[in-house]
Amino acid sequence: MPTALITGASAGLGEEFARQLAERGADLVLVARFEEPLEALADTLRDAYGIAVEVLVADLVTDSGVATVVARIVDAQHPIDLLVNNAGFGLPLHFADNDIDDEVRHLRIHVEAPMRLMHAALRAMRGRGGRIVNVASVAGFISRSTYSACKQWLIGFSRWANAEYAADGVSVTAVCPGFTHTTFHERMGLAPGHEGIPAIGWLNAPDVVREGLRDAARGKAVSVPSLRYKLVVALTRVLPPSLTARAARRGRV
């Protein structure tokens, strides 16, 4: 059976990726900072789908955490067929008011960690094939503080790598959802309904993951789940950056 490694797998989109891939019969390597929720999810998926599930506790903000996951990716005896770079967290939009060490950790988990894991995965997958899914964001198409900047990098790199390594049998897809119902905003201290986003702006995690996996299977470099956010991305190509930046200030994160 194919094996998928998912970072940030204990909640939100990471958990949904795990559930949908398990339903399709993939064995899993689940990565997150805390063991208890990972083990609980692993037990649930083993019982429900009869798959093999490994638990890997690692903090991808740290060198040791990244090294742990890299070592698992390059293990030739137990190859990884699909890497899902999903781990991340958000910060308030006002960069100058944020703690700079928090911003550095934010940069590391959204850019450096995925880069290192992709480097390991591409070296391992070349020739035998594989897929990489990078969870980016519609924010990557607009100007919205450092979160937007990080996701811009992830989208741009995914586009290049998908073309560069296609001949080696490896696809790289940036999945770019808009606002999605997960625990992401709650972990920032924002209760549901207090994020400053109208109901029409929200997506459901199962839909995001289903469309993202479908586009990855088709070899697409960029996946934008839902028609409404495809329209948003299309508008960013024709509207002045100053206008999209003002619109992006809506919401508290």
Side-chain angles (χ1 to χ4, degrees):
M1 298 301 297
T3 299
L5 186 149
I6 306 164
T7 69
S10 60
L13 288 177
E15 181 179 351
E16 186 60 34
F17 270 106
R19 292 185 184 279
Q20 291 196 26
L21 288 167
E23 186 176 1
R24 298 176 186 201
D27 293 330
L28 302 175
V29 181
L30 305 180
V31 180
R33 291 182 298 162
F34 302 113
E35 184 172 11
E36 186 174 346
L38 280 181
E39 290 288 3
L41 177 60
D43 287 342
T44 297
L45 297 178
R46 291 186 193 108
D47 292 344
Y49 302 106
I51 59 167
V53 185
E54 300 174 48
V55 165
L56 202 59
V57 179
D59 184 351
L60 295 181
V61 168
T62 68
D63 291 339
S64 61
V66 171
T68 296
V69 181
V70 166
R72 178 61 185 86
I73 290 172
V74 301
D75 181 356
Q77 299 300 314
H78 304 92
I80 298 298
D81 305 288
L82 168 63
L83 167 65
V84 180
N85 279 313
N86 169 74
F89 63 89
L91 292 173
L93 293 177
H94 303 292
F95 171 75
D97 296 329
N98 291 340
D99 183 276
I100 189 59
D101 290 332
D102 288 342
E103 289 283 1
V104 170
R105 285 189 286 271
H106 183 264
L107 182 69
R108 293 198 71 184
I109 201 164
H110 286 284
V111 176
E112 183 180 345
M115 180 177 66
R116 290 184 179 275
L117 300 190
M118 281 191 284
H119 184 263
L122 286 166
R123 289 168 69 93
M125 291 176 179
R126 279 188 305 185
R128 65 174 175 83
R131 292 179 188 154
I132 297 172
V133 171
N134 294 316
V135 178
S137 173
V138 166
F141 297 97
I142 58 180
S143 297
R144 203 169 194 263
S145 194
T146 49
Y147 184 79
S148 174
C150 290
K151 296 307 185 181
Q152 285 175 19
W153 183 89
L154 203 56
I155 294 166
F157 186 85
S158 297
R159 279 191 171 123
W160 171 82
N162 192 57
E164 180 72 13
Y165 294 101
D168 295 307
V170 183
S171 66
V172 183
T173 303
V175 177
C176 305
F179 290 99
T180 304
H181 289 298
T182 66
T183 59
F184 182 88
H185 297 91
E186 291 181 58
R187 285 184 281 127
M188 295 181 64
L190 296 175
H194 292 80
E195 305 94 344
I197 303 301
I200 196 174
W202 290 95
L203 304 176
N204 293 314
D207 298 331
V208 168
V209 171
R210 191 176 301 109
E211 189 165 346
L213 288 174
R214 184 191 66 195
D215 287 342
R218 293 172 174 173
K220 293 185 67 173
V222 178
S223 170
V224 181
S226 86
L227 180 60
R228 78 198 80 159
Y229 278 109
K230 286 181 173 66
L231 178 60
V232 169
V233 171
L235 287 173
T236 66
R237 300 190 182 108
V238 297
L239 294 177
S242 59
L243 180 60
T244 59
R246 285 199 301 274
R249 295 191 185 103
R250 186 179 181 88
R252 296 176 58 191
V253 293

